[in-house]
Amino acid sequence: MSNVEAAGSAEEIRARVEKLLVGMTLAEKAGQLTQYFYFGGNESAGEWANEQSREVEVALGRGGAGSLLFVRDPAEVNRLQRLTMEGNRHGIPALFGFDVIHGFRTIFPVPLAMAASWDPPMVEQAQGVAAREARAVGIHWTFAPMVDIARDPRWGRIVEGAGEDPYLGAAMAAAQVRGFQGDHLGAPERVVAGPKHFAGYGAALGGRDYDEVNLSASEFWNVYLPPFRAAVEAGAGNVMTAYMDLDGVPATGNRWLLSEVLRGALGFDGFLVSDANAVRNLATHGFAADLTDAAVRAVKVGLDLEMAISDPAYAHLEEAVAAGSVDVEAVDACVRRVLEVKLRLGLFDQPYVDEERARSVLADPSHREVARVAARRSAVLLRNEGGLLPLSPARLGSVAVLGHLATSKRDILGPWSFEFDLEETVSILEAVQARLGPGTEVTHAPGVRPTERLFSSIFDSFPGNVPVVEEGFDDDAELARAVELAKGSDVAVVVLGEWQNLVGEQASRSSIDLPGRQLELLQAVVATGTPVVLLVMNGRPLDLRWAAEHVPAILDVWYPGTQGGTAVADLLFGDVAPGGKLPFSWPRSVGQVPVVYSHTTSHEPERQAERYWDEPSTPLYPFGFGLSYTSFAYSELVLDRSEVPAGESLVVSVKVTNTGERPGDEVVQLYVHQRHGSASRPVRELKGFRRLHLAAGEPRTVRFTLGPAELRYWSSAARDYVLDASTFDVWVGGDSTASLGTSFSTTGRGGAGSPTPG
Ligand code: NOJ
C-alpha cells in the first residue's frame, strides 16, 4: 500500500484536519505552529543545550510543540515522538525536520559543486539518496534546496546554492525537489523539500550574511524568483522565509512577498516555515513592536510554523487572539496546513521509525557509489597546459601530495555536514596512494597551517568543525619541507583552498584570497620546476590570478564529499574526464564583485572589458567554462523557423563533435539576447543546456526548444511579464562566450503568462 493510500484522499485528509481542529484549544494550536531546535540532553552537548532540551521536552510533554529540528538519531526520534504523542490529547505526531543539504550519512559534493555538474538527473539521484538516509532515521523534511541566487562570493552561503544564473538555478532547484520528495509528497523513502530562503537573501549588501537586501523589481522577478518558481512547480511541500529586510520590510513578515508573490503569483499551497528565530526577529528588526506583535504579523501573512531556538513568539498567540489583534481563523489557516502535511506523510498511522532498518539503509554501499559519481561529475578543469592531466600512473616514480586539505577528512565534506562517517570518508592523499600502489612513492606535507577565523560561528561547537592547529607547528619549516618534497618528485599535486568552516552561514569574507600562506606555498612549489597540478577545494571562487598564469593544471574539485578522494583520483589518472562547468563567472579579484555574464549592453559596450583602468573587467573564467581531456567542435547551428509568432516556439539544433582522442563530456549551452523591447535585456542569458557523453570522434545533434517560457521576461516598464516583438541573437557553445550564432525574430505581443502583482 502506498503512502498516498495510507494517508487517504485529499478529501479525507481535509475532513480529518477539520475534525482535529474543532477539538483543539488555542494553546494546542499555537503548539502545532511551533518548531524547536533540539540538540539533545547529554554530557557533550553543553549546559545551554541541556537546559534548552529540557525546556523542549517539557513543551512536548504538554502538547506545546508541533515540530523539532536537529534530531538525527532514530532512537531519539522515537523517544521524542512518544513524548509528543502522549503529550497531546489528539495524538498528533511531531514533524522532524533537518538540514539535509548535500547528504545525510553519505555526503555528496556541496550544492554549488553539484550545480557545476550541469547534470540535473545526477543531482536528483543524489538528493534521492540523501532523502532515503534521512527518512530512514525518522527525518520527515529537509530545509533544502537552498535556491538563493548568489552573485557575490564574499557571501559565505554561495556554497549552498547553484550560483549566479536563474536558468541553471531553476533546473537545479527542480531536480533537488524531485530528488528529495519523489513524485508526490508522502512518497516512501522521501522527505518534504523546503526551498529557501524566500526571497532575495543572496543579494545581501556587501556579501555580509544577514544584511539587508535592496533589489530592483526586474532583478527580483527575472533573477531571484525563477528558482523558487521552479521548486514550487516541482511540487515542493514547504518554503522557508529569509532573515533579512527586503526593500525595508523583513521577508518573514512581508505581506507582498509571502501572500501576493509566493501564494499568489507562484501558486504555492504548502506550509511556510520561518528561518530560525526569524519571527522573533520581526521585533529585533524594528518592524514589530514586541513578540506578540511579531506573532500577529507573521500569522497574518500566513507564516505557518515558527522555527525557534527558544522563547517562541507564537507562545503569545493566545493572548493576541484574546485581545482581538488577530482572528482565530488566521491561526486556523496555519494549523490546517501543518496538520495536512503530517497526514499526507502518513505520520498519524506510522509515527515511529524502525531503528534496525535505519542501520541497514545507512550502511547501503550503493549510496557511496552515487557519491563517487557525483564528485566526478562536479569537478571543473580550469587549466591544462601541455596536457599535463591526466597523469599516467605507469610513468610516475614519485608524487608529492601537498596541503593540509589533502588529508583533512572533515574539510573534504564541506559545510552543512553532521552525520558523516570519517572512517568511510576517503581523503585525496589516501586515494592517490591506493590508486598508485607501492611502485610509486607518494609523500605528503601540509605546508601551511589551517587558517583561523577572526570571529566564531554557530557551527563551532559541532565536533571537528574547527580545524586543529598542531601544537608546535613551525610554519617556515613546514613550508620548506613541502617544497623539498616537491623538488624530489616527478609531479606535485597541491591541494589548496578554504577550510570548510571558512565558507557557509556566518562565513562571509571581505576578500577572496587563498587564506593564510597558501599562495606563498604554491609559488615556492612552482619555482622548483616540478610540474604542478593545483586542486582547488572551495565553496566560492578564490583569487587564482597567479595560478592561472603559472600553474599548468588547475582542477576545481570543490568540497567533493565522502567519496571525494576516490573521485579526484579517478579524474587525476584519467579513468574519467572532468566535464563540469562553472556555475558563476569567476572574478579576478574581489574588486570586481559582483561580476556576472548577463549584464546589459549599456553605454560603450565595445569597452566592456575596460570598465576599470587597473584590471580587465572581464572575469578570470567565464560562466559556463570548463575544459575536458578531449576537445569539442560546434557546427551546423540551424533554426526550424526564423520568425516566431508570440506564444509559439522554435527549435534550435546544433552538431557537437568530440574532436579529440579520448571520450569526454561536454555541456552544450544555449544563450539568447533580445536586441530591443520594452526594457534592455542582458547581453546573454542561458536558456538551455545539455550534458553529453561523446566517444572519441563521435558527433551528436542536439535540439533545444525556445518557447514563451524562455523568451518572456518581467518588464519594469509594463510591471508584468511580456513577450516583445523583437530580434533575438542565439548562440550555442561550451561556455557563455560561445561564438557560433544566428538570429530570429518574434512577432506580435502577449501570451506571456499569468499576470503578476508588481
Ligand atoms: C538558519 C539557516 O539560515 C537556515 O538555512 C537553516 O535551515 C536553519 N538555520 C536551521 O538550521
Side-chain angles (χ1 to χ4, degrees):
M1 188 167 71
S2 82
N3 266 30
V4 195
E5 288 155 358
S9 69
E11 229 163 82
E12 282 162 355
I13 288 175
R14 263 196 299 275
R16 279 182 82 174
V17 167
E18 293 311 318
K19 203 166 153 213
L20 283 164
L21 210 52
V22 288
M24 289 170 79
T25 63
L26 249 177
E28 286 169 339
K29 290 176 182 175
Q32 282 307 307
L33 303 186
T34 306
Q35 178 186 49
Y36 282 103
F37 275 81
Y38 185 87
F39 292 111
N42 57 56
E43 273 170 40
S44 63
E47 207 175 302
W48 176 85
N50 282 327
E51 178 56 33
Q52 195 262 3
S53 301
R54 271 192 295 278
E55 276 173 30
V56 172
E57 293 195 16
V58 170
L60 288 176
R62 57 171 162 71
S67 179
L68 295 184
L69 73 151
F70 256 84
V71 187
R72 311 186 296 279
D73 174 62
E76 272 295 87
V77 167
N78 282 341
R79 184 180 70 81
L80 294 163
Q81 188 67 288
R82 225 162 266 125
L83 262 178
T84 313
M85 300 288 286
E86 287 160 11
N88 66 84
R89 304 178 292 142
H90 311 282
I92 304 173
L95 191 61
F96 287 85
F98 183 52
D99 291 282
V100 185
I101 307 298
H102 54 111
F104 182 70
R105 156 84 166 267
T106 307
I107 305 297
F108 296 95
V110 288
L112 187 65
M114 289 210 276
S117 73
W118 295 58
D119 185 358
M122 181 280 282
V123 172
E124 180 176 338
Q125 190 190 14
Q127 297 299 32
V129 169
R132 180 166 192 252
E133 292 186 353
R135 192 68 171 89
V137 304
I139 291 164
H140 309 127
W141 157 33
T142 178
F143 311 126
M146 192 203 88
V147 304
D148 293 314
I149 293 294
R151 299 181 151 194
D152 187 334
R154 291 174 298 181
W155 189 53
R157 304 196 76 171
I158 186 175
V159 63
E160 296 172 50
E164 81 180 41
D165 187 70
Y167 188 87
L168 179 63
M172 289 299 153
Q176 293 188 77
V177 169
R178 287 193 302 268
F180 286 128
Q181 274 191 195
D183 60 4
H184 66 276
L185 198 134
E189 303 209 297
R190 304 284 176 150
V191 293
V192 178
K196 66 187 185 186
H197 307 80
F198 202 71
Y201 183 33
L205 272 186
R208 292 179 295 271
D209 207 3
Y210 313 144
D211 268 11
E212 70 192 87
V213 165
N214 295 300
L215 279 180
S216 71
S218 161
E219 269 184 299
F220 177 82
W221 289 100
N222 292 318
V223 179
Y224 287 81
L225 204 58
F228 283 102
R229 183 187 287 280
V232 169
E233 283 174 359
N238 167 252
V239 166
M240 184 188 289
T241 62
Y243 273 134
M244 75 304 145
D245 287 326
L246 178 67
D247 298 344
V249 181
T252 299
N254 193 315
R255 168 178 302 286
W256 171 77
L257 189 63
L258 304 183
S259 305
E260 293 183 41
V261 179
L262 181 60
R263 297 224 186 259
L266 301 195
F268 175 66
D269 65 359
F271 71 106
L272 255 177
V273 68
S274 73
D275 202 338
N277 273 357
V279 177
R280 294 175 52 84
N281 282 356
L282 295 179
T284 317
H285 283 251
F287 178 70
D290 51 31
L291 287 191
T292 311
D293 189 32
V296 167
R297 291 168 83 161
V299 163
K300 280 186 171 172
V301 297
L303 196 288
D304 305 310
L305 202 53
E306 176 186 10
M307 184 190 285
I309 296 175
S310 59
D311 198 10
Y314 279 7
H316 299 263
L317 278 176
E318 228 183 324
E319 80 196 47
V321 172
S325 315
V326 62
D327 296 336
V328 72
E329 284 74 29
V331 177
D332 285 354
C334 297
V335 180
R336 269 191 196 98
R337 285 187 285 258
V338 171
L339 293 178
E340 184 183 324
V341 71
K342 292 181 178 183
L343 281 160
R344 286 181 71 184
L345 290 177
L347 298 187
F348 281 78
D349 307 310
Q350 264 180 358
Y352 302 109
V353 66
D354 180 341
E355 295 167 35
E356 199 50 52
R357 187 171 173 280
R359 269 187 286 280
S360 79
V361 168
L362 295 187
D364 188 336
S366 72
H367 296 183
R368 259 59 89 196
E369 197 44 38
V370 178
R372 180 176 182 171
V373 171
R376 284 169 161 186
R377 295 178 77 77
S378 300
V380 181
L381 183 63
L382 296 173
R383 195 167 197 244
N384 196 18
E385 287 301 295
L388 177 58
L389 288 177
L391 300 172
S392 166
R395 275 189 257 139
L396 281 183
S398 54
V399 184
V401 179
L402 307 175
H404 180 261
L405 293 171
T407 53
S408 169
K409 295 195 175 186
R410 175 62 195 89
D411 287 294
I412 203 170
L413 300 173
W416 289 109
S417 312
F418 301 94
E419 275 306 298
F420 49 78
D421 181 338
L422 289 185
E423 293 277 298
E424 65 191 24
T425 302
V426 186
S427 73
I428 292 176
L429 178 66
E430 280 173 349
V432 169
Q433 276 166 336
R435 183 69 169 71
L436 290 175
T440 309
E441 191 194 2
V442 181
T443 55
H444 167 72
V448 296
R449 66 166 71 217
T451 299
E452 288 172 62
R453 292 172 52 120
L454 193 53
F455 303 108
S456 63
S457 115
I458 37 172
F459 299 103
D460 287 358
S461 58
F462 289 93
N465 261 14
V466 179
V468 182
V469 180
E470 255 173 63
E471 215 171 301
F473 190 92
D474 181 334
D475 296 78
D476 292 335
E478 281 297 335
L479 204 133
R481 188 163 76 87
V483 174
E484 277 311 303
L485 292 181
K487 230 182 242 167
S489 302
D490 294 338
V491 67
V493 174
V494 188
V495 190
L496 302 180
E498 286 187 321
W499 286 264
Q500 64 82 28
N501 66 328
L502 304 184
V503 66
E505 188 177 355
Q506 291 187 352
S508 291
R509 290 183 71 189
S510 65
S511 109
I512 56 168
D513 296 348
L514 283 167
R517 294 176 68 180
Q518 294 186 94
L519 180 57
E520 191 184 336
L521 170 69
L522 183 65
Q523 290 173 332
V525 170
V526 168
T528 63
T530 298
V532 174
V533 176
L534 170 62
L535 299 179
V536 187
M537 193 177 280
N538 58 330
R540 59 158 64 92
L542 296 167
D543 186 339
L544 291 187
R545 282 175 295 180
W546 190 87
E549 275 187 37
H550 299 97
V551 181
I554 307 175
L555 181 65
D556 194 343
V557 301
W558 317 99
Y559 299 105
T562 306
Q563 283 293 311
T566 319
V568 168
D570 295 340
L571 293 158
L572 279 179
F573 299 108
D575 300 338
V576 285
K581 302 274 188 173
L582 292 177
F584 50 73
S585 309
W586 192 298
R588 294 170 192 273
S589 63
V590 78
Q592 286 189 321
V593 165
V595 59
V596 291
Y597 80 95
S598 56
H599 55 82
T600 60
T601 313
S602 193
H603 180 58
E604 292 190 341
E606 65 285 1
R607 303 199 63 181
Q608 180 62 38
E610 303 164 15
R611 300 286 200 218
Y612 305 115
W613 61 256
D614 59 343
E615 181 168 63
S617 41
T618 49
L620 185 63
Y621 300 111
F623 174 81
F625 176 77
L627 303 169
S628 172
Y629 295 155
T630 183
S631 50
F632 300 94
Y634 287 79
S635 59
E636 298 171 35
L637 176 61
V638 179
L639 309 181
D640 71 339
R641 64 208 295 194
S642 55
E643 277 208 358
V644 187
E648 295 188 18
S649 304
L650 79 157
V651 175
V652 182
S653 64
V654 68
K655 187 167 149 193
V656 189
T657 308
N658 178 343
T659 50
E661 273 148 32
R662 290 173 158 273
D665 284 16
E666 172 68 327
V667 180
V668 184
Q669 301 162 42
L670 177 144
Y671 295 87
V672 301
H673 169 232
Q674 179 179 323
R675 288 196 196 160
H676 53 84
S678 74
S680 303
R681 300 303 299 144
V683 290
R684 288 190 181 203
E685 289 181 282
L686 181 72
K687 291 295 176 184
F689 66 87
R690 193 123 353 115
R691 181 166 175 156
L692 305 177
H693 181 76
L694 295 178
E698 185 185 348
R700 182 96 49 93
T701 297
V702 183
R703 287 185 181 76
F704 298 97
T705 300
L706 286 177
E710 288 77 27
L711 301 177
R712 76 172 191 173
Y713 66 98
W714 194 91
S715 162
S716 60
R719 300 206 71 75
D720 200 353
Y721 288 101
V722 296
L723 273 170
D724 287 332
S726 187
T727 303
F728 287 78
D729 299 303
V730 49
W731 298 268
V732 181
D735 65 51
S736 57
T737 65
S739 55
L740 182 65
T742 182
S743 61
F744 63 91
S745 51
T746 52
T747 56
R749 269 169 198 278
S754 57
T756 51

